[in-house]
Amino acid sequence: MTAHHRRVGAATLKRLRLSRGWSLADTARSLIDTASRLGQPFGSSLASVQRSVARWESATAPILPGERYQLLLAHVYARGRNGQHSLGPGSDFTELLGALAHLGEGERQLHELRALLLRKATDASGGLLALLGPTTQHALLEALADPTRIDGELLTGMRAAVADVNVQVGSIPFVRLQTLLAPVVESCRRLLTDAVPGPLLPELRSIAAQAYTLAGRFAFETRDDAASRALYSAATDTAGRIGDPWQRAVVHMSHALVTLYSTPGIEPARALVDAAVRDARAGTSITVRGRAHALQAEIAARAGSRQHAQAALSLAWYDMDGDRVGDPSSSSFSPAHLRGFDGLCELYVGDPAVAHDAFARSAQALTKQRERVQRAIVTTDQALTRIRLGDPHAAAELLHDCIDGASSTGGRVATIRLRRARQELRPWRTEGFVADLDDHLIDALGA
């Protein structure tokens, strides 16, 4: 960080403090009170904490607050002046994270800090509007009372809130994410039944389709299949009214994945995947087309059709190797994800050794927090190949890591895959390493 960046961070911290009418001593007292409330009382005096606050705000040589102070500042500024959690754009909390970034804090630490406060916001019902900034909250309430007052700025805030929930997958359990998304889902539902100005309808429908799809997935992950089906139905209908078919293809693909694990047989999922491929081919997103072909390959492999699986997989790689500059959905799927599908096809209709290496490369490349759930799934499949290659001990070692990943997010698909991998270990059920794995499964997942 340059000296200029540090001065900007210091000035932001000072502006936050003054916006609440606090002196240096007031801020120090707030930090001390927060530490006590969190069960982490300070051993330092008020004067000592006050000097720390002053050093952070120094106009000449500001310093970055330590991790403990960052946590306390986050708890202080995560609540707006009305006492409610506010973590969205324009909130004091967002300003705090920007200040810490300018003072030199890394992106990973800031992501973890934000995830921690989101968990705190959803401990009770305080998180229902946490991701909508103060301005967006006010504008949304006005629009719900009078839909003609909806504007582009409000829609931008709503889309940002949906994206914010999406990026937290892997950081926060699905049940909490469901709570965070609920107000946007309900607001979209109400606004779409009212007289929203025509020019804004396509954007509202796009936001609604994404919110419904994400909510459908969360409902599935939290084992509410009836709610999941209803949300996917709403998402499909809404996406079909947008104009670009790739957005409906995204809905079909998400719906297909949950259907694969909640409905007997593969035909219902196959029908959804085929619909996704048709929409993706007619749409403008090459990335979505590649993902649809990859899912088509998985379905074919599960059905035992090697030729069809390889053909679809070749199309997926052709799509992903193409020019995707300007793709409207370029971040939704990557070669790292596709390598996992390479592994799946080899697992079902090919060579387990080739599958193992493909899964290993995929898991190694899935490093983002958002990819944590997918990484756990891929690694579980990698463990399954080790069993089929005659190395159950090595498989169990991998499965321990997968259990930790699945338990932290509450992912249903990862849990199902884990149970299936455990079934493959039945020939070694009297061995100590399998007993240890069972103990871990029971402790972490109750299964």
Side-chain angles (χ1 to χ4, degrees):
M1 287 295 127
T2 65
H4 171 72
H5 282 112
R6 289 192 291 272
R7 286 194 295 270
V8 170
T12 302
L13 287 178
K14 183 175 183 179
R15 185 175 68 252
L16 282 172
R17 172 173 63 81
L18 294 177
S19 71
R20 298 201 174 195
W22 289 349
S23 64
L24 291 171
D26 291 332
T27 303
R29 273 190 288 270
S30 180
L31 292 171
I32 291 171
D33 291 345
T34 300
S36 178
R37 177 167 51 82
L38 295 175
Q40 304 174 11
F42 271 111
S44 306
S45 66
L46 175 64
S48 175
V49 177
Q50 182 175 329
R51 285 193 294 271
S52 294
V53 176
R55 286 195 291 271
W56 306 333
E57 298 180 8
S58 169
T60 55
I63 65 170
L64 174 70
E67 287 189 10
R68 186 185 186 191
Y69 276 120
Q70 288 184 30
L71 176 63
L72 295 174
L73 286 166
H75 277 277
V76 168
Y77 287 115
R79 291 187 180 275
R81 293 163 182 77
N82 60 1
Q84 299 298 312
H85 281 97
S86 182
L87 309 177
S91 65
D92 287 353
F93 180 77
T94 299
E95 289 286 304
L96 169 67
L97 294 187
L100 295 176
H102 276 103
L103 287 168
E105 188 51 79
E107 183 178 344
R108 183 177 182 84
Q109 167 65 11
L110 295 177
H111 179 89
E112 291 176 354
L113 192 61
R114 194 166 195 280
L116 178 64
L117 268 294
L118 282 171
R119 292 190 193 99
K120 181 66 177 177
T122 53
D123 277 344
S125 59
L128 288 175
L129 293 174
L131 287 179
L132 298 176
T135 302
T136 306
Q137 287 186 29
H138 180 71
L140 180 57
L141 292 174
E142 288 189 336
L144 289 172
D146 180 3
T148 62
R149 303 188 66 173
I150 192 171
D151 58 22
E153 186 176 352
L154 171 58
L155 293 179
T156 298
M158 292 173 67
R159 184 176 288 282
V162 175
D164 214 346
V165 173
N166 190 31
V167 81
Q168 295 299 331
V169 171
S171 301
I172 298 176
F174 286 110
V175 66
R176 292 177 182 262
L177 293 174
Q178 197 173 28
T179 299
L180 288 168
L181 189 60
V184 179
V185 170
E186 178 60 17
S187 297
C188 288
R189 186 190 66 78
R190 290 175 57 184
L191 289 171
L192 284 173
T193 61
D194 289 323
V196 172
L200 297 177
L201 265 177
E203 176 68 1
L204 177 59
R205 285 171 177 158
S206 178
I207 295 167
Q210 186 181 8
Y212 296 161
T213 302
L214 205 53
R217 192 242 175 125
F218 294 163
F220 162 79
E221 297 284 6
T222 54
R223 294 166 175 77
D224 190 346
D225 291 341
S228 179
R229 286 191 293 270
L231 284 160
Y232 276 117
S233 177
T236 303
D237 178 69
T238 304
R241 298 169 184 265
I242 296 171
D244 192 331
W246 74 263
Q247 298 197 50
R248 189 169 60 183
V250 171
V251 179
H252 287 320
M253 287 188 285
S254 180
H255 194 187
L257 285 172
V258 304
T259 299
L260 192 60
Y261 291 95
S262 60
T263 304
I266 65 171
E267 290 309 315
R270 187 201 299 273
L272 287 164
V273 170
D274 289 346
V277 169
R278 288 193 297 271
D279 277 342
R281 287 175 175 172
T284 58
S285 173
I286 298 173
T287 304
V288 169
R289 194 183 313 157
R291 185 183 173 201
H293 283 136
L295 279 174
Q296 195 173 47
E298 177 182 350
I299 293 295
R302 286 177 179 271
S305 179
R306 179 176 176 82
Q307 182 178 357
H308 289 161
Q310 290 299 326
L313 203 55
S314 294
L315 287 172
W317 277 112
Y318 176 82
D319 294 327
M320 296 304 292
D321 289 338
D323 182 6
R324 294 187 290 132
V325 175
D327 193 309
S329 187
S330 61
S331 63
S332 62
F333 192 69
S334 70
H337 293 90
L338 185 49
R339 278 190 285 272
F341 286 91
D342 280 342
L344 274 174
C345 291
E346 291 293 338
L347 176 64
Y348 283 104
V349 291
D351 185 341
V354 176
H356 180 275
D357 292 344
F359 286 136
R361 289 195 299 272
S362 178
Q364 187 177 18
L366 293 169
T367 57
K368 296 178 182 177
Q369 193 69 29
R370 175 64 175 78
E371 297 166 341
R372 188 177 180 186
V373 175
Q374 187 63 31
R375 187 167 64 249
I377 293 170
V378 169
T379 306
T380 302
D381 291 336
Q382 183 187 356
L384 188 57
T385 63
R386 289 186 176 184
I387 298 170
R388 295 183 181 179
L389 289 168
D391 195 352
H393 288 83
E397 290 177 6
L398 272 184
L399 290 174
H400 280 289
D401 292 336
C402 299
I403 292 169
D404 291 334
S407 65
S408 66
T409 60
R412 185 176 175 186
V413 173
T415 302
I416 292 172
R417 298 274 255 266
L418 276 168
R419 288 172 177 162
R420 291 178 180 175
R422 169 59 185 87
Q423 289 172 357
E424 296 273 338
L425 287 170
R426 282 177 178 171
W428 299 274
R429 60 185 177 276
T430 60
E431 299 287 343
F433 71 91
V434 176
D436 291 340
L437 187 67
D438 287 342
D439 288 342
H440 195 179
L441 275 168
I442 292 170
D443 289 343
L445 302 172

